[in-house]
Amino acid sequence: PVRNAAFAHGQRSFVTCSDQVMGTPPVMRVFDISQSAAAYGAHGAGGGAAAVASAESTSTPAVAIEGWSSAARVTRAHFGPNNESLIATGSDGTLALYDPRRADAKALQKIQAHGKSIRAIAFDDPVKQLCFMTASTDTFAKIWDTRSLKLLKSFDTGRSINCVSMSPLLDHVVLAGGQAAVDVALTRVDPAQFHIRFYHKVHAEELGQLSGHFGPVNAVTYSPDGRIVVSGGEDGYVRVHHLDASYWDALSDETVERLRYTGQLR
């Protein structure tokens, strides 16, 4: 099974993560699509012989990197700054850096980042990528330096975390999760564990919560302008949360003035 797919900067290649099959280790595959994109542009949706040949070449990965252990799934893989690194996470809590251009390369750096499976990665900025955040079922979310994998901040939530997102406007992060769906069906649970929770990125203090889901939350993200949060859960609902006046009124005068000066808040 393929667990994850993510584009490189410039959209000329992408990476996928596959589980182990028949005793083979999990694999991260980097595909070059620059030729297929050019063929599509030259021949249109009709394809033609050039497009078919290009599609066949795209089906063969440019690089295939084996995971660090046959006993652990690679849960996520994303390109780092300037596509010079590949950031991978595992079901065993491992966080690793690879060179996406070398199939024979061992991990440039590998650390035990969490005690259990890492479920998600979220970057501070899609271009700058100065830091990123991980979410784990060990109840912790953590912020890491992208180049050194130095731990910058840790958030202990007391519940399993499936997803995270970092605000493009403020020093805020949002995270969500909850007890596994199979356990929810068999036991009595506190619905508060399915709340979406906001934290200050620097001080690691909880700022507030949003309710609504009655099952584990699997996805959460800020909108590009930082004014909306969208979440999706095991309950089958996608909820769109418009951050109202109560959210903005809680900001400091200094923060409000900065946002107004840059035109991000009116």
Side-chain angles (χ1 to χ4, degrees):
V2 177
R3 296 287 173 184
N4 172 241
F7 270 102
H9 301 292
Q11 302 183 42
R12 297 175 63 87
S13 61
F14 66 91
V15 61
T16 65
C17 305
S18 301
D19 288 356
Q20 69 168 38
V21 178
M22 301 295 291
T24 61
V27 179
M28 292 166 279
R29 295 180 173 90
V30 178
F31 293 88
D32 183 356
I33 60 171
S34 56
Q35 292 182 355
S36 61
Y40 184 90
H43 298 277
V52 172
S54 182
E56 290 175 350
S57 65
T58 303
S59 66
T60 302
V63 175
I65 304 172
E66 291 188 359
W68 50 87
S69 171
S70 60
R73 296 197 312 269
V74 179
T75 56
R76 292 288 185 274
H78 291 269
F79 285 92
N82 303 318
N83 299 331
E84 294 176 351
S85 62
L86 202 60
I87 301 169
T89 62
S91 60
D92 59 352
T94 294
L95 179 60
L97 280 180
Y98 287 88
D99 185 338
R101 298 159 294 189
R102 297 182 55 189
D104 60 340
K106 294 183 179 180
L108 302 174
Q109 191 172 354
K110 183 164 66 74
I111 62 173
Q112 188 66 40
H114 287 274
K116 293 183 179 180
S117 179
I118 300 175
R119 302 295 299 273
I121 291 179
F123 288 95
D124 61 330
D125 182 277
V127 177
K128 296 178 181 178
Q129 293 185 312
L130 299 178
C131 63
F132 65 93
M133 196 170 187
T134 54
S136 173
T137 55
D138 67 357
T139 76
F140 282 87
K142 298 180 179 181
I143 297 179
W144 309 87
D145 180 89
T146 304
R147 296 186 182 277
S148 67
L149 298 189
K150 178 183 177 181
L151 178 62
L152 302 178
K153 192 65 62 176
S154 182
F155 306 81
D156 184 4
T157 68
R159 63 196 67 175
S160 177
I161 310 173
N162 296 332
C163 48
V164 291
S165 184
M166 305 176 78
S167 171
L169 274 183
L170 306 167
D171 286 331
H172 292 182
V173 299
V174 61
L175 50 87
Q179 192 173 350
V182 62
D183 297 329
V184 171
L186 298 175
T187 61
R188 185 176 181 178
V189 298
D190 180 4
Q193 70 172 295
F194 308 130
H195 289 180
I196 296 168
R197 305 170 70 179
F198 293 84
Y199 282 80
H200 195 282
K201 184 170 70 174
V202 178
H203 305 299
E205 296 176 349
E206 186 169 4
L207 303 174
Q209 300 184 10
L210 289 173
S211 61
H213 288 286
F214 51 89
V217 181
N218 295 325
V220 66
T221 184
Y222 274 100
S223 61
D225 66 0
R227 297 173 180 273
I228 302 172
V229 170
V230 176
S231 60
E234 290 285 341
D235 55 11
Y237 284 91
V238 173
R239 306 186 71 88
V240 181
H241 311 271
H242 293 267
L243 301 177
D244 59 18
S246 63
Y247 180 81
W248 304 104
D249 289 347
L251 301 178
S252 68
D253 293 340
E254 180 181 355
T255 301
V256 171
E257 185 62 30
R258 174 177 61 83
L259 294 177
R260 285 176 175 167
Y261 179 79
T262 58
Q264 295 170 305
L265 183 65
R266 294 180 175 84

